[in-house]
Amino acid sequence: VWTDPTHQNVPEQLVAAPGGFTLVFQQHGTTLIFIWVELLMTQHFYGKKRWESLIVAVYAALYIVWNVIIHAVTGEWVYPFQG
């Protein structure tokens, strides 16, 4: 279902991109490359770990709850590996 262009409102020409990569990989894979480049080229300063860890944990929990709500309403999982 997740590669079906009618399900995502994606034109058929974009689903099978040149080089055999799918649209999904191009969207997420290029982001990953930019994240790696940024991590290697930028010096990072970290603040108070307790508050930042709590914010990340709350965000992750809310994201999981949102996925479950979407499944309860539509009957389909957001990601194929969840089914």
Side-chain angles (χ1 to χ4, degrees), residues 22-75:
T22 62
L23 177 64
V24 174
F25 178 78
Q26 286 182 345
Q27 288 174 337
H28 297 89
T30 54
T31 304
L32 183 62
I33 293 169
F34 286 115
I35 289 172
W36 284 344
V37 168
E38 189 241 341
L39 282 173
L40 293 173
M41 300 195 66
T42 305
Q43 185 176 6
H44 294 272
F45 298 98
Y46 299 101
K48 297 180 180 181
K49 302 232 188 268
R50 180 174 295 166
W51 285 108
E52 292 171 357
S53 298
L54 180 64
I55 290 169
V56 170
V58 167
Y59 179 81
L62 290 173
Y63 190 76
I64 291 170
V65 168
W66 183 246
N67 279 305
V68 172
I69 290 171
I70 290 173
H71 175 65
V73 171
T74 65

Side-chain angles (χ1 to χ4, degrees), residues 1-15 23 27:
V1 169
W2 61 283
T3 57
D4 179 19
T6 59
H7 178 70
Q8 296 181 348
N9 291 331
V10 176
E12 283 188 40
Q13 303 91 316
L14 294 178
V15 175
L23 177 64
Q27 288 174 337

Side-chain angles (χ1 to χ4, degrees), residues 2 77-83:
W2 61 283
W77 288 104
V78 176
Y79 299 106
F81 62 83
Q82 291 176 312

